[in-house]
Amino acid sequence: MPKVVDHEQRRRELGRALWQVIRQHGIDGASVRSVAREAGWSPSSVQYYFTTQAELVSFAMRMISEVLRRAPTRRTLPPDPRDAAQETLERMLPMDAEMRAVAEVWVAFLSRTLVDDEARRINRGGHEHLSRTCRRLLDDLAAHDLLADGLDLRLEVDRLHMLMDGMVLHAVTAPDLMPPERLRATLHRHLTSLLVKD
């Protein structure tokens, strides 16, 4: 009986191999040959799934978007909306090994958005997802009468979104200055500043 091959799983293996290559050698070092070597495959096997480096890179970028979308739902969130907002956003930051890998590769990919329409489209999808997440969390806090009076909710969504992007960038490019505990404290300080005072 012929062996059943899970093609989607094999594509994901290659996507993760590309992540590793980028983390070790940068995006310029990510060729079909280097990814094949990292995955333990032949270059022709890689080309069976991805005919060009651009296809492989786009797939790996979409994998990052999927991980970021799933991250907040990995475990049950706390019932208190304040704790749920903190936990949801923490899960999208480089607080553990997997999310650190995702963040490092995302930062490396950013330069492609300047010259590649597909990369720009994928990145915009991730941007819009984070914005919607920030909006949903602040709406939930407002629905529970936990947000301070007089806030411009649209502006606060933008501020929270930019804070998240900035923290990821700093955590990747200066990890000694922005370790997980500082990410957590910075996020908590910002969210607390939006809440009604006890």
Side-chain angles (χ1 to χ4, degrees), residues 27 57-58 61 65 105-127:
I27 201 158
V57 169
S58 292
M61 285 185 72
S65 294
V105 177
W106 174 72
V107 169
F109 278 148
L110 284 178
S111 62
R112 286 188 77 94
T113 66
L114 301 175
V115 296
D116 185 297
D117 289 340
E118 176 71 0
R120 193 176 302 118
R121 187 186 65 76
I122 294 168
N123 189 62
R124 184 175 183 96
H127 176 90

Coordinates of all heavy atoms in Angstrom, one line a residue, residues 27 57-58 61 65 105-127:
I27 N 17.3 37.0 6.1 CA 16.5 36.7 4.9 C 17.3 36.5 3.6 O 16.9 35.7 2.8 CB 15.3 37.7 4.8 CG1 14.2 37.1 4.0 CG2 15.8 39.0 4.2 CD1 12.9 37.8 4.2
V57 N 8.8 31.9 0.8 CA 8.8 33.0 1.8 C 7.4 33.5 2.1 O 7.0 33.7 3.2 CB 9.6 34.2 1.3 CG1 9.4 35.5 2.1 CG2 11.1 33.8 1.3
S58 N 6.5 33.6 1.1 CA 5.1 34.0 1.3 C 4.4 33.0 2.1 O 3.6 33.4 3.0 CB 4.4 34.1 -0.1 OG 4.9 35.2 -0.8
M61 N 5.5 33.4 5.7 CA 4.9 34.6 6.3 C 3.4 34.4 6.7 O 3.0 34.8 7.7 CB 4.9 35.8 5.3 CG 6.3 36.4 5.1 SD 6.2 37.9 4.0 CE 5.4 39.1 5.0
S65 N 1.3 34.7 10.4 CA 0.0 35.3 10.6 C -0.9 34.3 11.3 O -1.7 34.7 12.3 CB -0.6 35.7 9.3 OG 0.2 36.8 8.8
V105 N 11.4 36.3 13.0 CA 11.2 36.1 11.6 C 10.3 37.2 11.0 O 10.5 37.7 9.9 CB 10.6 34.7 11.3 CG1 10.3 34.5 9.8 CG2 11.5 33.6 11.8
W106 N 9.3 37.6 11.8 CA 8.4 38.7 11.3 C 9.2 40.0 11.1 O 9.1 40.7 10.1 CB 7.3 39.0 12.3 CG 6.5 40.2 12.0 CD1 5.5 40.3 11.0 CD2 6.5 41.5 12.7 NE1 5.0 41.6 11.0 CE2 5.6 42.3 12.0 CE3 7.2 42.0 13.8 CZ2 5.4 43.6 12.4 CZ3 7.0 43.3 14.2 CH2 6.1 44.1 13.5
V107 N 10.1 40.3 12.0 CA 11.0 41.5 11.9 C 11.8 41.4 10.7 O 12.0 42.3 9.9 CB 11.8 41.8 13.2 CG1 12.9 42.8 12.9 CG2 10.9 42.2 14.3
A108 N 12.4 40.2 10.4 CA 13.2 40.0 9.3 C 12.4 40.1 8.0 O 12.9 40.7 7.0 CB 13.9 38.6 9.3
F109 N 11.2 39.7 8.0 CA 10.3 39.8 6.8 C 9.9 41.3 6.5 O 9.5 41.6 5.3 CB 9.0 39.0 7.0 CG 9.1 37.6 6.7 CD1 8.4 36.7 7.5 CD2 10.0 37.1 5.8 CE1 8.5 35.3 7.2 CE2 10.1 35.7 5.6 CZ 9.3 34.8 6.3
L110 N 9.9 42.1 7.5 CA 9.4 43.5 7.2 C 10.0 44.2 6.0 O 9.3 44.9 5.3 CB 9.6 44.3 8.5 CG 8.6 44.0 9.6 CD1 8.9 44.9 10.8 CD2 7.1 44.2 9.2
S111 N 11.3 44.0 5.8 CA 11.9 44.7 4.7 C 11.3 44.3 3.3 O 11.3 45.1 2.4 CB 13.4 44.4 4.7 OG 13.7 43.0 4.5
R112 N 10.8 43.1 3.3 CA 10.1 42.6 2.0 C 8.9 43.4 1.7 O 8.5 43.5 0.5 CB 9.8 41.1 2.1 CG 11.0 40.2 1.9 CD 10.6 38.8 1.8 NE 10.2 38.5 0.5 CZ 10.9 38.0 -0.5 NH1 12.2 37.8 -0.3 NH2 10.4 37.7 -1.7
T113 N 8.2 43.9 2.7 CA 7.0 44.7 2.5 C 7.2 45.9 1.7 O 6.3 46.5 1.1 CB 6.2 45.0 3.8 OG1 7.0 45.9 4.6 CG2 6.0 43.7 4.6
L114 N 8.4 46.4 1.6 CA 8.8 47.6 0.9 C 8.8 47.3 -0.6 O 8.7 48.3 -1.4 CB 10.1 48.2 1.4 CG 10.2 48.6 2.8 CD1 11.6 49.0 3.2 CD2 9.2 49.7 3.2
V115 N 9.1 46.1 -1.0 CA 9.3 45.8 -2.4 C 8.5 44.7 -3.0 O 8.5 44.4 -4.2 CB 10.8 45.4 -2.6 CG1 11.7 46.6 -2.3 CG2 11.2 44.2 -1.8
D116 N 7.7 44.0 -2.1 CA 6.9 42.8 -2.6 C 5.5 43.0 -2.2 O 5.1 43.1 -1.0 CB 7.5 41.6 -1.9 CG 6.9 40.3 -2.3 OD1 5.7 40.2 -2.1 OD2 7.6 39.5 -2.9
D117 N 4.6 43.0 -3.2 CA 3.2 43.2 -3.0 C 2.5 42.2 -2.2 O 1.7 42.4 -1.3 CB 2.4 43.3 -4.4 CG 2.7 44.6 -5.1 OD1 3.2 45.6 -4.5 OD2 2.5 44.7 -6.3
E118 N 2.9 40.9 -2.4 CA 2.3 39.8 -1.6 C 2.8 39.9 -0.1 O 1.9 39.7 0.8 CB 2.8 38.5 -2.2 CG 2.4 37.2 -1.4 CD 0.9 37.0 -1.5 OE1 0.1 37.7 -2.2 OE2 0.4 36.0 -0.9
A119 N 4.0 40.2 0.1 CA 4.5 40.4 1.5 C 3.7 41.6 2.1 O 3.3 41.5 3.3 CB 6.0 40.7 1.5
R120 N 3.5 42.6 1.4 CA 2.8 43.8 1.9 C 1.3 43.4 2.3 O 0.8 43.8 3.3 CB 2.8 44.9 0.9 CG 2.3 46.3 1.4 CD 2.5 47.3 0.3 NE 3.8 47.5 -0.1 CZ 4.2 47.2 -1.4 NH1 3.4 46.9 -2.3 NH2 5.5 47.3 -1.7
R121 N 0.7 42.6 1.4 CA -0.7 42.2 1.7 C -0.8 41.3 2.9 O -1.7 41.5 3.7 CB -1.2 41.4 0.4 CG -2.7 41.1 0.5 CD -3.1 40.2 -0.7 NE -2.4 38.9 -0.6 CZ -2.8 37.9 0.2 NH1 -3.8 38.1 1.1 NH2 -2.2 36.8 0.2
I122 N 0.2 40.3 3.0 CA 0.2 39.5 4.2 C 0.4 40.2 5.5 O -0.3 40.0 6.5 CB 1.2 38.3 4.0 CG1 0.8 37.4 2.8 CG2 1.4 37.5 5.3 CD1 2.0 36.5 2.4
N123 N 1.3 41.2 5.4 CA 1.6 42.0 6.6 C 0.5 42.8 7.0 O 0.1 43.0 8.2 CB 2.9 42.8 6.3 CG 3.4 43.5 7.6 OD1 3.7 42.9 8.6 ND2 3.3 44.8 7.6
R124 N -0.2 43.4 6.0 CA -1.4 44.2 6.3 C -2.5 43.4 6.9 O -3.2 43.9 7.8 CB -1.9 44.9 5.0 CG -3.1 45.8 5.3 CD -3.5 46.5 4.0 NE -4.6 47.5 4.4 CZ -4.4 48.8 4.7 NH1 -3.2 49.3 4.6 NH2 -5.4 49.5 5.0
G125 N -2.6 42.1 6.5 CA -3.6 41.3 7.2 C -3.3 41.1 8.6 O -4.2 41.1 9.5
G126 N -2.0 40.9 9.0 CA -1.6 40.8 10.4 C -1.9 42.1 11.1 O -2.3 42.1 12.3
H127 N -1.6 43.2 10.5 CA -1.8 44.5 11.0 C -3.2 44.7 11.4 O -3.6 45.1 12.5 CB -1.3 45.5 10.0 CG -1.5 47.0 10.4 ND1 -0.6 47.7 11.1 CD2 -2.6 47.8 10.3 CE1 -1.0 48.9 11.4 NE2 -2.2 49.0 10.8

